[in-house]
Amino acid sequence: MNFSLKIPLFLMIIIFVLSGLTYAKIDNKDNINRDLFETGVHEFKQGRYQQAIDFFTEIIFNGSEKSLVYKNRGIALLNLKKTDLAIKDFEKAVSLDPKLKGIYSNLGSAWHYKKEYKKAIACYDREISNRPDQFITCFNRALSWLGLNQYDNALNDLDQALELKPGFELAISLKNKIYDKTLKKSQNKISLQKSQNKIHGKRVKKDKKGQYTLQIGAFLVKSNSNKKKAALIKRGLEARILSLEDSKKRFWYLVRIGFYESRQKAEKFSSRLRMEYNIDAIIRPSGKF
């Protein structure tokens, strides 16, 4: 069964709004007709996507072949389900400015709509490489992994999204669906209503930005981090993997458990892990090295 087909359409719409499918703004150096551009933005916000397309097309015909104009027209086309035309515009935007913010996420979303999940994942990989702090791109990539029925990869991306955005309800809800389907009400199931983790029967509130987590291992090889995560889950601990890029452009896969409101609480559970499980943990700030 293709799991992604079970995801309600309204979730996809929310995902696209969050993932950067919004219009870029212009400044004086862009050399774009501001009146036409802003009118196109206004038409899009009113839900008149064809009118928005017409205004952006006029800008292009007038000689302003700018990446953000193609990006914005592609977004409007995607809203009209003209996916092939949207992909052409996104690819044109990439050719004009490979570093355009959000463009690979947009292109990945378009490929996902066409059920070209491998191409979508490749685009999301580029976006995450450029902007590793984008939790929604991790979530979108999880959806494409589900399209390929690769549940472990999807769960890893959902864990990364939750590491970057604790309490992200779409990720929690989707993680529940995967556990319901694959783990048959596993003890690792997350409660959507309470948005809490459980560590061996004891509840710990989700953290906020700048709070703490426990790191069990750091790996350069993803398969090694997957093995460590599986071993922790087998022992009744809810583990997750966070992927971050260091200053040398290396991707690390960090195996972590728990969210704590203070360093003191993190230290308490670190001691407990050492005593009860013989596991050494390092206290780290959530979402960071």
Side-chain angles (χ1 to χ4, degrees):
M1 180 184 296
N2 190 324
F3 192 94
S4 66
L5 296 180
K6 295 295 184 180
I7 299 171
L9 181 59
F10 76 90
L11 287 184
M12 294 301 298
I13 294 171
I14 293 173
I15 291 162
F16 286 132
V17 171
L18 291 174
S19 67
L21 288 178
T22 53
Y23 285 102
K25 296 180 180 180
I26 60 174
D27 55 37
N28 292 333
K29 67 180 181 180
D30 287 321
N31 192 29
I32 295 173
N33 187 310
R34 182 176 295 273
D35 289 338
L36 289 176
F37 189 90
E38 292 183 350
T39 303
V41 170
H42 174 76
E43 292 298 311
F44 177 84
K45 289 179 177 179
Q46 299 302 313
R48 296 189 285 266
Y49 303 121
Q50 185 57 57
Q51 289 88 333
I53 291 167
D54 292 341
F55 281 105
F56 291 122
T57 299
E58 185 174 348
I59 294 173
I60 294 169
F61 282 172
N62 287 340
S64 293
E65 285 208 335
K66 298 294 183 178
S67 59
L68 60 86
V69 180
Y70 279 103
K71 174 187 174 182
N72 289 354
R73 189 173 71 171
I75 295 165
L77 286 164
L78 200 57
N79 274 273
L80 292 179
K81 296 182 174 57
K82 297 181 179 181
T83 311
D84 289 334
L85 292 176
I87 288 172
K88 288 182 179 180
D89 271 3
F90 291 147
E91 289 180 337
K92 179 66 174 180
V94 168
S95 71
L96 293 170
D97 183 3
K99 296 183 179 180
L100 181 62
K101 184 178 179 181
I103 188 59
Y104 294 108
S105 184
N106 297 157
L107 185 55
S109 298
W111 283 122
H112 182 97
Y113 259 141
K114 287 179 67 66
K115 301 181 182 179
E116 294 278 1
Y117 302 121
K118 290 183 179 180
K119 291 182 179 180
I121 289 167
C123 291
Y124 293 138
D125 287 346
R126 291 286 299 273
E127 188 71 31
I128 291 171
S129 177
N130 292 336
R131 305 168 67 204
D133 61 337
Q134 295 302 300
F135 69 95
I136 194 62
T137 308
C138 296
F139 180 79
N140 283 355
R141 189 170 65 179
L143 291 180
S144 292
W145 283 123
L146 288 177
L148 297 173
N149 292 322
Q150 296 193 23
Y151 301 116
D152 287 341
N153 286 331
L155 286 170
N156 285 339
D157 274 345
L158 292 173
D159 285 338
Q160 185 170 346
L162 285 166
E163 181 81 18
L164 295 168
K165 181 71 172 179
F168 180 28
E169 290 191 356
L170 289 179
I172 293 170
S173 177
L174 186 54
K175 197 170 180 180
N176 274 337
K177 290 178 184 293
I178 297 173
Y179 280 138
D180 281 341
K181 183 176 179 63
T182 62
L183 301 183
K184 304 299 183 182
K185 298 183 179 180
S186 163
Q187 61 182 343
N188 301 299
K189 183 175 179 180
I190 299 176
S191 169
L192 175 61
Q193 291 76 25
K194 296 183 178 180
S195 297
Q196 292 177 324
N197 283 348
K198 292 183 179 180
I199 299 182
H200 203 56
K202 189 157 187 174
R203 295 181 184 274
V204 181
K205 292 183 179 180
K206 284 284 187 177
D207 73 334
K208 297 179 181 178
K209 186 176 181 181
Q211 294 179 331
Y212 300 95
T213 185
L214 296 180
Q215 182 167 300
I216 310 302
F219 305 90
L220 288 171
V221 179
K222 189 172 184 179
S223 60
N224 292 339
S225 66
N226 289 338
K227 290 178 182 178
K228 174 63 73 172
K229 175 185 172 184
L232 292 169
I233 290 175
K234 189 175 181 179
R235 299 184 70 179
L237 299 169
E238 184 174 317
R240 63 190 181 279
I241 297 174
L242 173 67
S243 175
L244 291 177
E245 184 180 20
D246 66 14
S247 59
K248 296 181 179 180
K249 304 298 182 182
R250 298 176 301 181
F251 271 98
W252 288 88
Y253 301 95
L254 312 175
V255 180
R256 295 182 173 184
I257 62 173
F259 293 103
Y260 308 95
E261 296 177 345
S262 66
R263 188 175 185 87
Q264 183 179 8
K265 289 185 178 181
E267 289 172 349
K268 179 180 178 181
F269 278 90
S270 177
S271 297
R272 181 181 171 189
L273 283 173
R274 190 178 301 110
M275 293 177 61
E276 296 184 18
Y277 295 90
N278 195 29
I279 293 175
D280 290 322
I282 301 173
I283 300 171
R284 303 304 304 158
S286 178
K288 300 178 182 178
F289 278 110

